Amino acid sequence: MDRNPSPPPPSRTEEVAVGDCIGSTVYSKHWLFGVLSGLIQIVSPENTKSSSDDDEEQQMELDEELENEICRVWDMSMDEDVALFLQEFNAPDIFMGVLAKSKCPRLREICVGILGNMSCFQEICVSISSDKNLGQVLLHCLYDSDPPTLLETSRLLLTCLSQTEVASVWVERIRENPAIYDSICFIMSSSTNVDLLVKVGEVVDKLFDLDEKLMLEWIRNGAAQPLDQPQEESEEQRVFRIVPCVLEAAKQVRSENLEGLDVYMRILQLLTTVDDGIQAIVQCPDTGKDTWNLLFDLVCHEFCQSDDPPIILQEQKTVLASVFSVLSAVYASQAEQQDLKGEKDLPLIDSLIRVLQNMEHCQKKPEDSSESNTEETKKSDLTQDDFHLKILKDISCEFLSNIFQTLTKDTVAKGLKEGQLSKQKCSCAFQNLLPFYSPVVEDFLKILHEVDKTLAGDLKESFPSLKVQT
């Protein structure tokens, strides 16, 4: 024969299989029942009571065929029909049994991953979140030593914390489990897994944004230990402080993941919204210095550099806003200000003015945008861009005004000589600082007049509102 034979006529079992589909999918109910039954058998008393070394080693491994099947379920669970069917079949209870009894890291990872996918659907998320026992089992997964399991657990937590109906339930559970603080701090301070660090950072960011009380508790957790107490204890006795852990994670993700760095800078910014958070940064000299050095290096040597195209500000605007906000808070704190005057002022002024200059470029409307998306989309994008740029501008101007207030005659003279306070840069600074920071600009002009009368006069001419007051 020149062609393949025709398939045989459908059998009765194949005809019945049409009714075996899950919802509108082509996935089989019976096949899924078989996989879940296999999971139940894994954690049945007969299979978990043996305790020999060989048996324990076997429990740590996952049969390849079962792994492939349950991974398929993991993929399938992204479909709402499948997720609802799993919920109806009480699959979360099966996964809870696996997590409570299985020692196999891969199996635990997959089970949490499936629950994470199911939690993306509101109805199921509410159901999973209302199960106290499952909630405790899932939170206990944060004590796991397996990075993939930790990653999936963090992803599930972030999904639940992002659902307004159940977020408070998870915040309260986390508050009731103080050991979670230690576990998260340990991950941030010691993990080299960037994906895990980013996801854990997103969880912390969300927690702090949702609940200031929890953030204050976590700030004070490490503050209970005397600052000069040596930390030579074992890991079990180690006392974590939130700021050094956040800084360590930020350093780890810095070069590999801008979004991750953005997350950790946002955490630091949230910490500075309360006085205890600022004190947690500046009270310990080493922590204050580490925070300042990292953030100073980011804005002066990495972000928005002179050889970068101005449009790069669109990519960096949110992280820059957080960094400048934290630097401004630390700079304004009495404990750190004396050490920061002088040598750090001019590079910061240079960076801040460059950001403001680039912002002017980004805010220029394109001449011909007729070939872009719909008018509604363009307006929405511009509004969003303008919103984030305005936040960055407000923070930058406040920080710049704080620095201007500390400038001495010698620093101004040095800035003129090195180019940080050229006429063009001063004009840009004045353009953005006026009229809200008029007294600051006027005081700066008085100092500038002592150093360079010509430049001071030119700037007065350019900004007539200053003419009368000086």
Side-chain angles (χ1 to χ4, degrees):
M1 294 178 68
D2 295 331
R3 63 179 180 84
N4 291 330
S6 299
S11 65
R12 288 186 63 192
T13 54
E14 285 175 319
E15 289 172 356
V16 175
V18 176
D20 184 42
C21 293
I22 300 172
S24 60
T25 73
V26 295
Y27 301 127
S28 164
K29 294 177 184 177
H30 284 89
W31 177 85
L32 189 53
F33 285 149
V35 177
L36 294 176
S37 298
L39 280 178
I40 293 172
Q41 283 198 323
I42 286 179
V43 292
S44 64
E46 293 79 15
N47 289 331
T48 56
K49 63 185 178 184
S50 57
S51 58
S52 69
D53 291 342
D54 288 343
D55 287 332
E56 283 200 21
E57 189 175 335
Q58 210 168 20
Q59 288 177 30
M60 294 289 286
E61 297 175 357
L62 186 58
D63 176 76
E64 185 178 348
E65 183 179 349
L66 179 59
E67 180 177 356
N68 290 335
E69 289 184 332
I70 195 170
C71 277
R72 188 178 168 198
V73 176
W74 191 359
D75 291 337
M76 290 163 53
S77 62
M78 296 176 69
D79 184 288
E80 187 171 10
D81 283 339
V82 175
L84 287 168
F85 184 76
L86 286 168
Q87 176 72 12
E88 186 182 335
F89 191 66
N90 293 324
D93 288 342
I94 298 173
F95 299 141
M96 178 170 65
V98 172
L99 293 171
K101 298 176 182 178
S102 175
K103 298 178 182 179
C104 174
R106 179 61 172 158
L107 183 57
R108 293 169 61 80
E109 173 203 354
I110 297 169
C111 287
V112 179
I114 295 172
L115 286 168
N117 282 352
M118 293 173 66
S119 297
C120 293
F121 305 105
Q122 184 179 348
E123 177 186 336
I124 302 173
C125 185
V126 171
S127 176
I128 288 174
S129 300
S130 62
D131 187 327
K132 291 183 180 179
N133 292 330
L134 180 56
Q136 288 302 318
V137 169
L138 288 170
L139 287 180
H140 199 269
C141 290
L142 285 173
Y143 312 141
D144 209 296
S145 60
D146 179 55
T149 303
L150 289 168
L151 176 60
E152 292 307 317
T153 305
S154 302
R155 186 173 72 88
L156 184 150
L157 276 178
L158 184 62
T159 300
C160 294
L161 289 169
S162 300
Q163 296 270 8
T164 53
E165 296 85 353
V166 299
S168 59
V169 173
W170 288 97
V171 170
E172 196 55 40
R173 281 179 187 154
I174 290 170
R175 179 182 283 115
E176 291 169 357
N177 288 270
I180 290 175
Y181 166 82
D182 290 327
S183 179
I184 285 178
C185 282
F186 179 75
I187 293 168
M188 292 192 295
S189 62
S190 61
S191 178
T192 57
N193 185 316
V194 172
D195 291 337
L196 174 59
L197 287 171
V198 172
K199 197 57 66 180
V200 166
E202 288 175 339
V203 170
V204 175
D205 178 39
K206 193 68 178 177
L207 282 171
F208 286 2
D209 190 43
L210 286 169
D211 196 279
E212 185 177 295
K213 183 181 175 184
L214 178 69
M215 179 173 74
L216 285 167
E217 288 174 7
W218 282 22
I219 290 169
R220 292 164 184 163
N221 274 349
Q225 183 192 36
L227 294 174
D228 56 352
Q229 181 174 326
Q231 295 206 5
E232 297 175 358
E233 304 93 341
S234 66
E235 289 296 344
E236 287 76 20
Q237 297 173 315
R238 184 176 172 188
V239 177
F240 292 103
R241 298 192 190 95
I242 189 69
V243 176
C245 295
V246 169
L247 290 176
E248 192 57 42
K251 292 173 187 175
Q252 192 67 44
V253 303
R254 171 180 178 176
S255 61
E256 296 185 47
N257 193 302
L258 178 62
E259 290 181 8
L261 182 61
D262 193 359
V263 167
Y264 281 100
M265 293 303 103
R266 219 166 37 239
I267 293 171
L268 286 176
Q269 185 180 13
L270 283 168
L271 291 173
T272 62
T273 60
V274 293
D275 187 59
D276 281 11
I278 296 175
Q279 291 306 310
I281 294 173
V282 303
Q283 192 174 32
C284 175
D286 287 344
T287 304
K289 185 177 179 182
D290 286 348
T291 305
W292 181 268
N293 287 343
L294 173 62
L295 273 56
F296 179 85
D297 191 48
L298 286 172
V299 296
C300 292
H301 302 123
E302 189 162 324
F303 292 142
C304 200
Q305 296 301 290
S306 57
D307 56 349
D308 288 333
I311 197 68
I312 200 163
L313 194 65
Q314 290 287 13
E315 181 184 327
Q316 300 172 351
K317 60 195 170 191
T318 56
V319 67
L320 275 169
S322 296
V323 173
F324 280 143
S325 179
V326 177
L327 282 172
S328 183
V330 175
Y331 189 89
S333 72
Q334 201 62 34
E336 284 291 307
Q337 192 169 341
Q338 296 303 317
D339 295 334
L340 304 177
K341 286 182 179 179
E343 63 174 289
K344 303 289 187 182
D345 288 343
L346 292 175
L348 284 171
I349 288 173
D350 198 41
S351 294
L352 285 162
I353 292 177
R354 188 182 305 116
V355 166
L356 293 171
Q357 288 173 326
N358 288 352
M359 201 174 297
E360 292 174 6
H361 176 90
C362 290
Q363 289 177 321
K364 289 178 182 175
K365 307 297 185 218
E367 293 181 9
D368 181 20
S369 56
S370 58
E371 296 184 9
S372 300
N373 297 327
T374 63
E375 284 299 318
E376 291 77 10
T377 305
K378 284 185 287 184
K379 285 178 183 176
S380 173
D381 290 344
L382 284 173
T383 303
Q384 194 73 356
D385 286 343
D386 289 347
F387 173 71
H388 287 296
L389 287 173
K390 185 180 185 308
I391 291 174
L392 176 57
K393 178 181 177 179
D394 291 346
I395 291 171
S396 300
C397 287
E398 182 180 1
F399 190 17
L400 187 59
S401 72
N402 288 341
I403 299 175
F404 266 28
Q405 291 178 68
T406 70
L407 293 178
T408 63
K409 184 177 175 181
D410 289 342
T411 307
V412 171
K414 186 178 180 184
L416 289 171
K417 182 180 178 181
E418 296 179 354
Q420 294 98 338
L421 293 172
S422 65
K423 181 179 178 180
Q424 182 186 16
K425 291 179 179 179
C426 285
S427 294
C428 176
F430 287 14
Q431 187 74 43
N432 286 279
L433 291 174
L434 295 172
F436 298 110
Y437 298 98
S438 293
V440 174
V441 175
E442 289 162 11
D443 289 342
F444 171 76
L445 262 180
K446 291 174 184 175
I447 298 175
L448 182 61
H449 190 268
E450 296 179 35
V451 180
D452 190 329
K453 294 180 181 178
T454 304
L455 177 56
D458 289 344
L459 289 169
K460 288 180 190 176
E461 289 293 327
S462 300
F463 297 91
S465 62
L466 295 169
K467 219 170 188 180
V468 178
Q469 287 116 343
T470 51

